[in-house]
Amino acid sequence: QVQLVESGGGLVQAGGSLRLSCAASGSIFSINAMGWYRQAPGKQRELVARITSGGSTNYADSVKGRFTISLDNGKNTGYLQMNSLKPEDTAVYYCNADVRKNWGDNQYRYWGQGTQVTVSS
């Protein structure tokens, strides 16, 4: 089994920064991509940022220039550096990872449990 555990959420004032981590553990041969999503109360879950094992990234327009996603394949851990936070960034943040358990296997997507980020004005 593969588990993802997010950490680093919390309460921060507008303009502040947080760094989220997503640690993957279990039977992992490779992580092909990792993504961060968020869900605010009453809203649908939305993509925040995504990175492939080759380093390609994409970001939601609302976070471009403020958030940076990274992936440390050696540690099976991904990060989301969030700067210049705004109250509208308040949400539960989830990570997911496209994992291959063995060479030649199909990849499967796993999700973490989420971490709360609250930005006060």
Side-chain angles (χ1 to χ4, degrees), residues 39-61:
Q39 187 166 19
K43 295 188 176 182
Q44 289 188 332
R45 189 174 297 190
E46 63 175 359
L47 174 67
V48 175
R50 183 171 171 80
I51 185 168
T52 68
S53 58
S56 297
T57 58
N58 64 286
Y59 296 90
D61 287 343

Side-chain angles (χ1 to χ4, degrees), residues 69-92:
I69 190 171
S70 60
L71 176 61
D72 186 333
N73 283 296
K75 295 182 179 180
N76 288 334
T77 301
Y79 305 95
L80 185 68
Q81 177 67 43
M82 306 187 294
N83 299 328
S84 302
L85 282 161
K86 305 175 180 179
E88 51 264 44
D89 294 318
T90 295
V92 178

